[in-house]
Amino acid sequence: DRPHNAFVSKGALRIHARRENFEGQEFTSARLVTKGLQDWKYGRVEVRLKLPTARGSWAAAWMLPTESAFGDWPKSGEIDIMEHVGYDCGNVHGTVHTEKFNHMKNTQVGRVIPVNVGEFHIYAIDWTPDRVSFMCDDQKYHEFRKESPASWEAWPFDNPFHVILNIAVGGDWGGQKGVDHAQFEGDGQVMEVSWVRVYKNH
């Protein structure tokens, strides 16, 4: 996480994933995390950003619990405001992960919305005590509701969560179709972030 990989230019935060040798690794990138600085319980979280597109890129704006109240991942939950993998360019995913619903058990609960990757979009969640709704440019495309009777295994979302912005290179999902090394040369792949905004629910 060096200034080389994450900096503000022309009014936007730019996260760069680059192909370069650094401390024995072939690629560098950055992860920006609000843990220890700010977290939230419920509210509307919006991120305006423009996506990287190369095969092998895995861009995300997501949330994790600040304290692991129910144990390690996925027990304490994860909210993926937006995920995008380059080999499936233009399809953005909004997902939650819990002990009951997660991809390790093939029970994850998520939806996909197509976007124009050449443009900025506003990705958002509206998080209340009984649901998490997912939106792109104010269009709701997914909703995860609290079950009744409630259990922490299905709904661990009554605790503070913090925001994470990052580009991964490869990985279990992003690297499924390999990595287009040439697209990470020079400036590499960039996720441009105009802003992150958090609003309280009234």
Side-chain angles (χ1 to χ4, degrees):
D1 290 350
R2 303 172 293 158
H4 183 60
N5 293 102
F7 54 89
V8 174
S9 175
K10 297 179 181 177
L13 169 67
R14 298 174 59 90
I15 301 174
H16 287 251
R18 308 174 192 260
R19 187 183 185 198
E20 57 179 339
N21 292 317
F22 182 75
E23 295 183 350
Q25 301 297 315
E26 188 179 1
F27 296 92
T28 64
S29 188
R31 173 183 289 192
L32 282 75
V33 183
T34 70
K35 184 177 182 178
L37 300 171
Q38 188 66 58
D39 56 16
W40 302 270
K41 178 181 173 182
Y42 313 136
R44 183 181 178 97
V45 183
E46 298 183 345
V47 186
R48 184 178 188 267
L49 60 81
K50 185 177 176 183
L51 292 163
T53 59
R55 179 168 47 87
S57 64
W58 180 357
W62 51 305
M63 301 182 76
L64 284 176
T66 299
E67 303 292 338
S68 296
F70 305 109
D72 293 338
W73 189 94
K75 292 181 172 67
S76 296
E78 174 181 328
I79 302 171
D80 296 321
I81 303 166
M82 178 287 307
E83 285 186 287
H84 178 265
V85 291
Y87 75 80
D88 190 23
C89 195
N91 288 315
V92 165
H93 297 249
T95 315
V96 300
H97 299 276
T98 72
E99 174 67 9
K100 184 174 181 179
F101 303 111
N102 66 79
H103 70 271
M104 305 296 286
K105 296 179 178 178
N106 202 31
T107 56
Q108 76 271 18
V109 179
R111 294 288 184 273
V112 181
I113 188 167
V115 302
N116 180 346
V117 294
E119 298 178 352
F120 281 87
H121 299 280
I122 299 172
Y123 303 98
I125 61 161
D126 189 12
W127 172 23
T128 71
D130 63 1
R131 74 181 191 280
V132 181
S133 301
F134 294 78
M135 288 148 284
C136 177
D137 297 332
D138 283 330
Q139 175 188 348
K140 185 168 85 169
Y141 66 96
H142 178 37
E143 183 173 86
F144 179 75
R145 285 191 169 272
K146 189 177 189 176
E147 295 180 335
S148 182
S151 69
W152 69 264
E153 290 93 346
W155 181 270
F157 302 119
D158 293 322
N159 294 295
F161 277 58
H162 58 274
V163 171
I164 304 169
L165 305 173
N166 71 279
I167 307 174
V169 181
D172 292 343
W173 187 22
Q176 279 187 15
K177 301 290 179 69
V179 176
D180 185 350
H181 288 64
Q183 294 298 311
F184 290 86
E185 300 284 357
D187 281 342
Q189 291 293 299
V190 184
M191 181 163 75
E192 295 182 73
V193 183
S194 299
W195 40 255
V196 178
R197 296 175 179 169
V198 182
Y199 302 89
K200 278 187 176 181
N201 291 330
H202 294 288

